[in-house]
């Protein structure tokens, strides 16, 4: 398996700490609002990462946090408590808000065939552990107390910028330009480990601590939840690219200061989904959600298909037009599989499947090239050296990673199986004719289909068809 590693800025060979086992951590959602389809794009790719590792033989232990307290955009005084904002907006308590949006997140994930991680940690369940963690950092001399808050002193971590590779002076200017400077910090990038001086009126969730009543900083939850569940070192830590310069950088600083060891071997980051106005963001107001896609008549799994046709390290600009196109391709794919399923006479499997399995595996081992893996699936469907039973065997096998519900019956309104069968048969006949160099017959079949309102196209995925 080869994976791009943000730490080394190159595609590295993946080697796990323990043989055949992978310890993986995923930054989870902030549950003050519905996840938008951008967040879910990242979770779909993380699901692909986990399933690909399992496909190639690893046993994966995956941990994810749920941010149900705090989550400041930054530690600056004008950061906002998103949870509190959500609660005020909806006249609910913070815990009611958190529960509602946590359930919504898992329901959306299920609709997108995203597997639930083996361990889910709610940030509010680990308060005592954060306190113990901060006490250790304090004892080791990495912190200072100012204006009621405990800060992490980044000057004590000499390789603080190893993940972001950003020059501190540049970062400093950026921090100053964007937010009101916190004059109590020794360095602009210092961050709060424990707040006692709430920046917000009516801060609802507070706990007692050696520094006074307060609440934890945001980054601390990922460090502590992963240490508790995965130990002091792990293989892969995932998240969206927005987390590189602050959240993940601060997670590394505090965790490695706490353990005195290197923490994560592979940092994996997914690029953003953009809307026509730029990055999709929860705080922008009305966002695109799975429910909205459903309201517009889309099958959520078609969105997964759309996402898998682009690489996780490339930005993707969303439009309903492109989703519609992807959905139409997805429906046709399912219909083609249904035709194979219906006519399957259960012949024996032969060694012919091996090459296709190998091709599929090498696509996912190539830094998770899902688009190419889908091309292998099309190769299977049009293969002349595979019987129907072998084709279905391979679809089922690839589904372990792709999870596109390909073997589920297409929705009744998406399929007219007699018509699809007729089209597929004519396409087969035309292929035969071309093979026999009977181009007259091939053209005749093309025209016959055209008269029925079906246009065919020779593509790298084989012959595709659409209605005119
Ligand atoms: P949040 O709930 O805001 O903490 O974000 C959850 C996950 O979605 C994180 O891994 C983010 O990095 C990621 N994310 C945020 N915005 C986008 C976006 N526009 N496209 C893809 N992923 C995103
Ligand atoms: Zn995190």
């Amino acid at each position: 398996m080869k994976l791009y590693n943000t730490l080394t800025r190159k595609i590295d060979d993946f080697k796990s700490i323990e043989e055949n086992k992978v310890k993986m951590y995923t930054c989870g959602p902030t549950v003050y609002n519905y996840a938008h389809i951008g967040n879910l794009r990242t979770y779909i790719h993380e699901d692909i990462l986990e399933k690909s590792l399992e496909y190639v033989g690893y046993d994966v232990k995956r941990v994810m946090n749920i941010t149900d307290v705090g989550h400041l955009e930054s530690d600056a005084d004008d950061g906002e408590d998103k949870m509190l904002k959500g609660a005020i907006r909806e006249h609910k308590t913070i815990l009611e808000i958190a529960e509602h949006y946590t359930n919504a997140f898992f329901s959306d994930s299920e609709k997108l065939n995203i597997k639930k991680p083996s361990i889910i940690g709610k940030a509010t369940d680990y308060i005592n552990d954060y306190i113990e963690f901060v006490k250790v950092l304090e004892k080791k001399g990495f912190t200072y107390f100012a204006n009621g808050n405990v800060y992490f002193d980044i000057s004590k971590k000499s390789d603080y910028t190893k993940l972001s590779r950003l020059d501190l002076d540049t970062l400093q200017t950026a921090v100053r330009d964007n937010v009101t400077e916190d004059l109590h910090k020794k360095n602009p990038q210092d961050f709060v480990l424990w707040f006692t001086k709430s920046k917000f009126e009516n801060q609802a969730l507070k706990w007692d601590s050696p520094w006074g009543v307060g609440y934890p900083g945001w980054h601390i939850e990922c460090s502590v939840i992963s240490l508790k569940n995965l130990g002091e070192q792990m293989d892969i830590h995932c998240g969206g690219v927005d987390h590189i310069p602050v959240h993940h950088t601060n997670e590394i600083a505090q965790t490695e200061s706490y353990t005195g060891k290197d923490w994560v071997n592979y940092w994996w980051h997914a690029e953003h989904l953009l809307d026509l106005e730029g990055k999709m963001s929860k705080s922008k107001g009305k966002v695109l959600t799975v429910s909205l896609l459903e309201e517009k008549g889309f099958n959520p799994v078609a969105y997964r298909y759309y996402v898998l046709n682009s690489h996780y390290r490339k930005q993707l600009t969303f439009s309903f037009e492109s989703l519609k196109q992807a959905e139409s391709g997805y429906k046709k794919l399912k219909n083609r599989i249904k035709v194979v399923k219906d006519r399957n006479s259960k012949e024996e499997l032969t060694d012919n499947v091996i090459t296709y399995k190998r091709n599929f595996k090498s696509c996912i081992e190539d830094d998770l090239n899902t688009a190419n893996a889908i091309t292998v699936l099309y190769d299977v469907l049009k293969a002349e050296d595979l019987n129907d039973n072998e084709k279905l065997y391979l679809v089922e096998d690839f589904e372990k990673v792709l999870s596109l519900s390909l073997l589920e019956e297409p929705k009744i309104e998406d399929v007219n199986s007699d018509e699809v069968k007729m089209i597929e048969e004519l396409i087969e006949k035309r292929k035969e004719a071309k093979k026999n160099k009977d181009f007259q017959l091939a053209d005749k079949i093309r025209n016959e289909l055209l008269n029925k309102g079906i246009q065919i196209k020779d593509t790298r995925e084989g012959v595709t068809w659409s209605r005119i």
Side-chain angles (χ1 to χ4, degrees):
M1 175 74 91
K2 285 182 192 295
L3 287 176
Y4 182 81
N5 187 354
T6 311
L7 198 60
T8 60
R9 297 291 195 275
K10 59 185 176 56
I11 294 180
D12 287 337
D13 276 324
F14 178 73
K15 203 171 175 309
S16 58
I17 300 168
E18 259 182 86
E19 209 179 327
N20 301 328
K21 287 198 174 143
V22 174
K23 291 193 272 185
M24 172 173 166
Y25 186 87
T26 318
C27 288
T30 312
V31 283
Y32 65 93
N33 206 337
Y34 294 108
H36 57 63
I37 58 172
N39 302 128
L40 291 160
R41 179 191 184 211
T42 294
Y43 292 111
I44 289 172
H45 283 301
E46 287 165 348
D47 182 60
I48 289 285
L49 170 62
E50 177 178 9
K51 288 173 178 165
S52 297
L53 289 162
E54 280 169 349
Y55 187 83
V56 302
Y58 291 101
D59 183 7
V60 182
K61 182 172 178 189
R62 177 170 169 205
V63 178
M64 187 171 88
N65 63 305
I66 301 284
T67 303
D68 59 352
V69 58
H71 187 21
L72 309 159
E73 198 66 79
S74 72
D75 287 320
D77 282 337
D78 56 358
E80 55 187 14
D81 183 335
K82 294 175 175 176
M83 292 298 300
L84 183 62
K85 208 174 146 197
I88 293 169
R89 185 184 62 224
E90 296 180 30
H91 308 291
K92 286 186 179 145
T93 67
I94 287 197
L95 290 178
E96 280 167 351
I97 288 279
E99 195 184 338
H100 173 77
Y101 289 112
T102 304
N103 293 340
F105 173 75
F106 286 116
S107 147
D108 286 347
S109 299
E110 206 179 312
K111 287 179 185 164
L112 294 165
N113 291 342
I114 298 171
K115 189 175 139 191
K116 210 170 180 172
S118 26
I119 296 171
I120 313 276
K122 262 168 55 186
T124 46
D125 284 343
Y126 290 80
I127 302 295
N128 287 337
D129 301 297
Y130 306 145
I131 293 171
E132 290 310 310
F133 183 86
V134 178
K135 276 198 219 142
V136 172
L137 288 179
E138 192 173 43
K139 215 158 141 200
K140 288 188 161 189
F142 288 102
T143 68
Y144 59 94
F145 190 76
N147 192 37
N149 298 328
V150 185
Y151 289 90
F152 184 91
D153 181 350
I154 66 127
S155 67
K156 300 276 166 67
K157 180 86 171 93
S158 58
D159 57 359
Y160 177 73
T161 54
K162 71 175 172 185
L163 183 70
S164 69
R165 298 196 181 186
L166 288 171
D167 172 294
L168 267 187
D169 291 336
T170 326
L171 249 178
Q172 190 160 338
T173 330
V175 170
R176 290 215 170 114
D177 284 349
N178 290 337
V179 294
T180 320
E181 205 178 337
D182 176 350
L183 296 171
H184 304 286
K185 288 184 182 181
K186 290 186 185 167
N187 314 288
Q189 299 81 11
D190 288 350
F191 54 95
V192 180
L193 296 164
W194 188 269
F195 290 93
T196 70
K197 191 159 183 281
S198 177
K199 296 164 185 171
F200 320 109
E201 283 171 38
N202 312 321
Q203 173 69 33
L205 294 176
K206 288 185 200 164
W207 296 265
D208 203 5
S209 85
W211 312 279
V213 174
Y215 61 100
W218 168 41
H219 319 296
I220 205 165
E221 65 185 88
C222 291
S223 295
V224 168
I225 293 174
S226 76
L227 284 171
K228 291 287 281 184
N229 293 290
L230 297 171
E232 293 192 341
Q233 282 170 316
M234 74 165 101
D235 297 292
I236 310 178
H237 192 310
C238 315
V241 285
D242 52 317
H243 284 339
I244 301 170
V246 180
H247 181 49
H248 289 166
T249 288
N250 291 347
E251 279 187 38
I252 296 175
Q254 61 195 9
T255 311
E256 295 189 348
S257 303
Y258 174 90
T259 62
K261 292 179 187 159
D262 282 343
W263 180 35
V264 176
N265 288 341
Y266 301 85
W267 280 92
W268 182 100
H269 290 104
E271 252 301 346
H272 278 159
L273 182 74
L274 312 178
D275 55 25
L276 295 173
E277 288 136 38
K279 187 196 153 194
M280 209 171 272
S281 148
K282 273 190 205 176
S283 46
K284 260 192 185 172
K286 188 156 171 55
V287 291
L288 288 174
T289 57
V290 168
S291 310
L292 192 81
L293 296 187
E294 285 180 308
E295 269 168 41
K296 287 185 178 282
F298 290 101
N299 173 353
V301 187
Y303 176 66
R304 184 177 173 106
Y305 179 79
Y306 169 72
V307 164
L308 297 192
N309 272 294
S310 70
H311 195 257
Y312 78 91
R313 282 197 293 115
K314 291 223 169 83
Q315 290 186 337
L316 176 65
T317 303
F318 178 82
S319 71
F320 281 107
E321 203 43 52
S322 55
L323 178 61
K324 217 178 243 166
Q325 264 174 27
E327 186 173 59
S328 150
Y330 173 65
K331 283 180 181 169
K332 277 180 213 150
L333 176 62
K334 278 192 73 156
N335 286 341
R336 277 176 81 173
I337 292 169
K338 182 176 164 49
V339 171
V340 180
K341 221 165 125 186
D342 289 348
R343 71 172 180 222
N344 183 16
S345 55
K346 304 228 160 75
E347 286 168 74
E348 268 183 37
L349 299 186
T350 68
D351 283 351
N352 289 358
V353 296
I354 295 172
T355 321
Y356 293 93
K357 248 180 109 106
R358 196 183 305 131
N359 290 350
F360 180 82
K361 188 161 167 264
S362 61
C363 293
I364 58 167
E365 281 175 340
D366 175 20
D367 194 25
L368 312 177
N369 196 328
T370 45
N372 283 355
I374 289 175
T375 304
V376 177
L377 176 69
Y378 280 102
D379 289 342
V380 164
L381 292 175
K382 67 175 192 219
E384 289 177 9
D385 58 346
L386 293 173
N387 62 45
D388 288 339
N389 210 25
E390 289 170 328
K391 289 183 182 181
L392 291 174
Y393 162 82
L394 288 164
V395 173
E396 200 175 340
D397 186 63
F398 300 173
E399 273 287 84
K400 289 178 196 155
V401 177
L402 301 176
S403 306
L404 289 166
S405 306
L406 294 174
L407 290 159
E408 269 174 30
E409 284 292 301
K411 277 207 223 122
I412 207 80
E413 62 269 26
D414 292 345
V415 68
N416 175 343
S417 63
D418 288 343
E419 188 194 14
V420 174
K421 214 159 149 183
M422 176 274 292
I423 297 167
E424 293 281 332
E425 275 166 13
L426 283 174
I427 289 174
E428 269 309 302
K429 251 168 95 179
R430 177 173 166 268
K431 212 155 84 187
E432 264 312 292
K434 278 174 80 177
K435 216 163 109 192
N436 300 331
K437 303 217 180 316
D438 186 351
F439 297 111
Q440 218 175 351
L441 178 60
D443 285 347
K444 204 175 141 225
I445 296 172
R446 180 191 280 275
N447 288 333
E448 191 182 334
L449 281 165
L450 265 180
N451 287 337
K452 293 182 195 296
I454 305 295
Q455 192 165 38
I456 54 174
K457 227 171 154 183
D458 294 300
T459 71
R460 72 180 177 132
E461 283 97 19
V463 182
T464 62
W465 57 268
S466 55
R467 289 180 213 285
I468 321 172

